[in-house]
Amino acid sequence: MDNASAPSQAPHRAGFACFVGRPNAGKSTLTNALVGTKVAITSNRPQTTRHTVRGIVHRPDAQLVLVDTPGLHKPRTLLGERLNDVVRTTWAEVDVIGFCLPADQKLGPGDKFIAKELAGIKKTPKIAIVTKTDLVESKQLAEQLIAIQQLGEELGIQWAQIVPVSAVGDKQVSLLADLIAPMLPESPPLYPEGDLTDEPEQVMVAELIREAALEGVRDELPHSIAVVVEEMLPREDRPKDKPLLDIHANVYIERPSQKGIIIGPKGARLKEVGMKSRKHIEALLGTPVYLDLHVKVAKDWQRDPKQLRKLGF
């Protein structure tokens, strides 16, 4: 059968997957390897509210959207419990869960804690992904595969697959995508092909500012905030060991009456937004940041295609 006619036979599939695992289990390396060098970060589209999109794998037969879940941990606080609830809902909402377990470390209490939680989510298919296989000999890898199989049996988890990968050596990463694709529901692509952005940092920074801006005003202005990062430039004349990044960003709202809500009494709310988002941006970029925020009115931007394009939608 010639390939030209093959794709039309199988329906296109598209859906969401998330990778879970304790810190340093190789989740982000794997994400980057699957998506290719450019990690696609896309702005919050309606179908992925509450989930940060980490990357999109575009294939002729399928589109796989990788979403983040906040880390699951033993809750010490009410907030911890709430976060864990968010994690569980996300796990129940995605189409596939990939559980990352490093090949070079024996299964520990952290892995078992996550596996127990996974066992409670019955419907979602789960793939055990053994990462960092380039760091071990085949005997150690075989032992790890058996241990994972046994962990599944103990907890009543039916692994859809157990797949060894080395994202660094790019081994079997495409095989992983081949295995996940058929588990996704039949669907046209959820995101346009162009959503592999060359400037993820700027998009991510805008998203962090938007999140901070929405925090206190979600009820009053749930969707009427858009953020555009106009420029990100290293401050000149700074010593090498003390860099500073200047970020100029505009927060757009739809109506002049919303300006006061965002800015707050004596500018207090905008200041708070700046402080909060700056912390997150510095953590993301690993460098000190000077953040210059301005609130502007883009009249009814949600209904104006020209404005929407300008605002990156």
Side-chain angles (χ1 to χ4, degrees):
M1 189 169 73
D2 64 328
N3 277 348
S5 65
S8 62
Q9 310 298 314
H12 186 279
R13 294 176 177 275
F16 296 89
C18 68
F19 293 142
V20 303
R22 56 193 161 95
N24 297 329
K27 300 184 291 276
S28 49
T29 315
L30 185 58
T31 301
N32 293 352
L34 269 170
V35 175
T37 45
K38 300 179 186 142
V39 166
I41 306 294
T42 61
S43 58
N44 241 337
R45 291 283 162 75
Q47 63 264 42
T48 57
T49 43
R50 303 219 313 282
H51 312 314
T52 316
V53 171
R54 289 291 329 172
I56 301 173
V57 183
H58 295 282
R59 298 162 51 107
D61 59 332
Q63 186 184 64
L64 172 62
V65 183
L66 301 170
V67 295
D68 245 3
T69 49
L72 186 87
H73 46 80
K74 294 191 171 141
R76 292 195 185 89
T77 61
L78 183 61
L79 175 68
E81 279 175 29
R82 287 230 179 103
L83 270 177
N84 283 357
D85 287 343
V86 172
V87 174
R88 288 188 198 96
T89 6
T90 305
W91 288 2
E93 283 169 5
V94 296
D95 300 298
V96 181
I97 299 171
F99 183 20
C100 296
L101 299 137
D104 61 335
Q105 296 161 33
K106 282 201 156 45
L107 298 186
D111 299 317
K112 288 178 180 150
F113 176 71
I114 294 173
K116 276 199 185 96
E117 292 292 332
L118 282 177
I121 291 161
K122 296 291 182 224
K123 287 204 177 94
T124 317
K126 300 162 212 45
I127 298 180
I129 303 167
V130 188
T131 56
K132 310 189 183 185
T133 52
D134 48 307
L135 302 180
V136 299
E137 299 296 319
S138 51
K139 180 172 176 285
Q140 195 179 343
L141 177 59
E143 284 166 5
Q144 187 71 319
L145 293 173
I146 292 165
I148 291 167
Q149 182 66 44
Q150 284 171 343
L151 178 67
E153 283 165 15
E154 273 166 42
L155 297 172
I157 300 174
Q158 186 73 52
W159 300 119
Q161 301 276 353
I162 299 180
V163 196
V165 297
S166 159
V168 180
D170 220 15
K171 277 200 189 86
Q172 289 197 291
V173 169
S174 56
L175 167 72
L176 179 61
D178 291 342
L179 292 173
I180 293 176
M183 297 181 182
L184 303 175
E186 291 182 18
S187 157
L190 301 165
Y191 290 84
E193 180 75 65
D195 273 357
L196 283 171
T197 129
D198 283 327
E199 33 177 23
E201 285 185 346
Q202 234 154 311
V203 179
M204 284 168 85
V205 165
E207 192 53 31
L208 289 172
I209 296 169
R210 181 168 173 264
E211 272 171 30
L214 274 172
E215 210 154 273
V217 299
R218 220 172 272 275
D219 301 336
E220 300 163 88
L221 314 171
H223 299 297
S224 29
I225 297 177
V227 174
V228 175
V229 172
E230 297 294 338
E231 58 177 21
M232 285 172 43
L233 296 169
R235 176 85 54 98
E236 307 214 334
D237 318 324
R238 294 282 291 198
K240 271 265 185 296
D241 56 344
K242 293 207 174 124
L244 181 69
L245 189 65
D246 283 316
I247 298 180
H248 300 279
N250 291 327
V251 177
Y252 287 96
I253 46 181
E254 293 192 286
R255 290 186 287 286
S257 60
Q258 298 170 335
K259 218 169 172 171
I261 301 177
I262 288 283
I263 294 173
K266 293 196 174 143
R269 180 165 270 154
L270 190 63
K271 203 169 171 181
E272 176 81 353
V273 170
M275 275 161 52
K276 267 201 182 123
S277 52
R278 198 186 78 231
K279 265 204 203 106
H280 291 300
I281 293 165
E282 290 181 337
L284 171 76
L285 302 177
T287 170
V289 160
Y290 170 77
L291 182 59
D292 177 38
L293 279 186
H294 291 275
V295 179
K296 299 196 167 185
V297 179
K299 222 167 132 52
D300 291 333
W301 63 263
Q302 293 189 38
R303 286 185 287 286
D304 177 350
K306 216 159 72 213
Q307 299 265 24
L308 282 172
R309 269 202 301 283
K310 186 181 143 201
L311 299 177
F313 287 94

